[in-house]
Amino acid sequence: MQNKTNDLAKELAKDCRTVEDIQEKLKELFKDTIQQVFEAEIDEHLGYIKHDNSGDHSGNSRNGYSKKTMKTKFGKAELRIPRDRKGEYEPQIIKKYETTANGLEDQIIGLYSKGMSTRDIEDQMKDLYGIDVSAAMVSKVTDKIMPLIAEWQSRLLDRVYPIVFLDAIHFKVRKENRIVNKAAYSVLGINLSGHKEILGIWIGENESASFWLGVCNDLKNRGVQDILIVCKDNLSGFSEAIHSVFPQTDIQLCVIHQIRNSMKYVSYKEQKVVMADLKKVYQALTLEEAELEFSNFKEKWGKKHPIIIKSWEANWLELTAYFSYPAEIRRLIYTTNTIEGYHRQLRKVTKTKTAYPTD
């Protein structure tokens, strides 16, 4: 087998002086190989090989060829599709209405997943392979993955997730001839094996209890029966929704986000001192120690920064849920850094998009 491969490579290498020469040879090899597959397919369809007398009076026979131009990653290839008199033969390796080879479609989807626009992909295909692939055709290819996305979004989930993180990433989307901001709400779970898993992504314009109730019911309908801890930013309406669907779930509000929000009300000169006092609260070893340190913080800064005190008091139960867990778990759940890291990966491939045409 290796010798045959080497012989084929030597044959293809003859008269090749440039990369373009090699590409042209590969295009011819692709074309000839596909043609042989077509011939084998129609032999099987008719039940006899070409020029075989057993095909006489069989009721069906070959009826010439039709031409078809395929766009491949080697360039355009002119193919001859066999026909039978009854018009029953349909090629299997390349379907009747396909105009691109799978390898090219994979290339297009790969470029699209890297954040390239349809126009950029059109230019890339022209530069790399010398073939014209319109933006409309690129959209048609990428639309083929939509059923796979819908299947992924509705797949069955595990019964139990020890930890689930929630966060939003915002994008601009075209809607009724104008650009609007929409949030993609991601739900990332850590399963019983300790692996991260994106449970789903939901698009919404506004956070509300009804929106989050829909998300929680979706998770439940897909098999989730219990969640131990949910870690979130200050998402409006979520706490009410999660408690109505998963009443035993603990909610941990992201301490880092709470601190960032608090610092908005502190002058630059005071920020280091205020931060040092807040660290004594959220880095305490026990809940009792945290309560004592917050009491000291309140006494020291209450008159000057009443808004900070009011915010911490209003969210105290959700800000301190992590004190019920061991130190190793606390480091994981007191912040939403886990899901923010995932969103940073999304930004790498979406930062070139000025606006999405649809949700």
Side-chain angles (χ1 to χ4, degrees):
M1 183 67 179
Q2 185 65 43
N3 290 335
K4 290 183 178 179
T5 303
N6 291 336
D7 291 343
L8 177 60
K10 288 178 181 177
E11 184 64 30
L12 289 173
K14 286 181 179 179
D15 303 323
C16 286
R17 297 292 180 269
T18 65
V19 172
E20 287 75 14
D21 291 340
I22 297 172
Q23 186 168 313
E24 188 63 31
K25 289 276 188 179
L26 289 173
K27 183 172 72 172
E28 289 300 317
L29 178 63
F30 172 84
K31 173 184 172 181
D32 293 343
T33 304
I34 291 292
Q35 197 64 50
Q36 290 301 316
V37 174
F38 286 150
E39 299 298 340
E41 282 183 353
I42 197 164
D43 284 350
E44 183 177 354
H45 172 73
L46 295 174
Y48 63 93
I49 63 174
K50 196 172 186 178
H51 307 305
D52 192 331
N53 292 333
S54 63
D56 295 346
H57 312 296
S58 63
N60 199 6
S61 60
R62 287 169 175 74
N63 188 31
Y65 296 87
S66 59
K67 291 183 178 180
K68 183 173 189 173
T69 302
M70 288 291 298
K71 294 173 182 176
T72 79
K73 60 182 179 179
F74 305 116
K76 289 183 180 179
E78 300 292 334
L79 303 178
R80 298 167 65 241
I81 312 296
R83 296 182 303 199
D84 63 329
R85 292 196 178 277
K86 289 187 175 181
E88 296 173 344
Y89 165 69
E90 289 191 11
Q92 298 302 306
I93 190 169
I94 294 176
K95 302 299 181 183
K96 192 171 184 179
Y97 298 106
E98 285 183 344
T99 57
T100 61
N102 290 334
L104 186 63
E105 291 192 356
D106 291 342
Q107 294 263 10
I108 290 172
I109 291 172
L111 292 171
Y112 191 74
S113 70
K114 292 291 188 292
M116 293 183 67
S117 69
T118 53
R119 297 291 180 187
D120 290 339
I121 295 172
E122 179 183 3
D123 294 339
Q124 191 83 345
M125 291 293 106
K126 182 72 173 178
D127 292 341
L128 286 177
Y129 307 121
I131 55 176
D132 295 317
V133 178
S134 68
M137 179 190 154
V138 172
S139 295
K140 196 175 293 184
V141 170
T142 54
D143 283 348
K144 289 184 178 181
I145 65 174
M146 295 308 293
L148 299 177
I149 294 173
E151 182 182 342
W152 173 84
Q153 185 77 357
S154 60
R155 77 196 188 283
L156 287 175
L157 300 173
D158 293 349
R159 292 175 62 253
V160 177
Y161 286 91
I163 306 173
V164 166
F165 297 90
L166 297 99
D167 198 21
I169 180 170
H170 294 83
F171 298 103
K172 294 186 181 299
V173 180
R174 295 184 187 278
K175 181 181 179 182
E176 297 174 355
N177 298 320
R178 60 192 182 95
I179 305 296
V180 299
N181 285 315
K182 288 195 176 185
Y185 296 96
S186 302
V187 177
L188 184 155
I190 296 181
N191 60 29
L192 292 173
S193 301
H195 293 103
K196 298 173 187 176
E197 178 184 345
I198 299 298
L199 308 187
I201 301 173
W202 290 263
I203 307 296
E205 292 181 51
N206 299 301
E207 299 168 16
S208 65
S210 60
F211 170 78
W212 285 116
L213 187 62
V215 171
C216 292
N217 279 321
D218 188 9
L219 294 175
K220 189 171 185 178
N221 292 336
R222 289 162 59 200
V224 180
Q225 296 182 15
D226 194 19
I227 298 171
L228 183 60
I229 312 161
V230 167
C231 309
K232 68 180 183 84
D233 186 7
N234 196 13
L235 303 171
S236 301
F238 176 77
S239 297
E240 298 89 336
I242 192 74
H243 279 147
S244 67
V245 181
F246 303 105
Q248 302 301 315
T249 299
D250 286 340
I251 299 176
Q252 173 61 49
L253 184 60
C254 179
V255 175
I256 302 303
H257 279 91
Q258 179 72 16
I259 292 170
R260 288 175 189 162
N261 292 333
S262 298
M263 289 300 104
K264 293 176 183 177
Y265 304 101
V266 181
S267 66
Y268 179 75
K269 290 182 179 180
E270 290 182 336
Q271 283 189 1
K272 285 187 178 180
V273 182
V274 174
M275 272 292 300
D277 289 341
L278 279 176
K279 274 187 180 180
K280 296 176 184 177
V281 178
Y282 71 84
Q283 290 185 352
L285 296 178
T286 65
L287 178 58
E288 291 74 17
E289 183 184 338
E291 290 172 340
L292 177 61
E293 292 296 344
F294 181 68
S295 179
N296 295 336
F297 182 88
K298 181 177 178 181
E299 185 177 341
K300 183 176 179 179
W301 298 103
K303 290 183 179 179
K304 195 165 188 180
H305 298 296
I307 296 177
I308 296 177
I309 304 300
K310 184 178 179 180
S311 176
W312 279 77
E313 287 181 333
N315 296 301
W316 185 255
L317 290 178
E318 293 185 357
L319 283 169
T320 58
Y322 68 107
F323 282 108
S324 300
Y325 298 91
E328 294 79 8
I329 301 295
R330 290 184 193 182
R331 284 197 293 270
L332 181 62
I333 67 174
Y334 88 105
T335 173
T336 54
N337 279 350
T338 300
I339 194 167
E340 288 179 25
Y342 163 68
H343 281 162
R344 283 193 291 274
Q345 296 299 313
L346 291 185
R347 279 292 180 212
K348 286 183 180 179
V349 296
T350 60
K351 61 185 178 182
T352 59
K353 299 279 188 182
T354 54
Y356 283 85
T358 65
D359 286 354

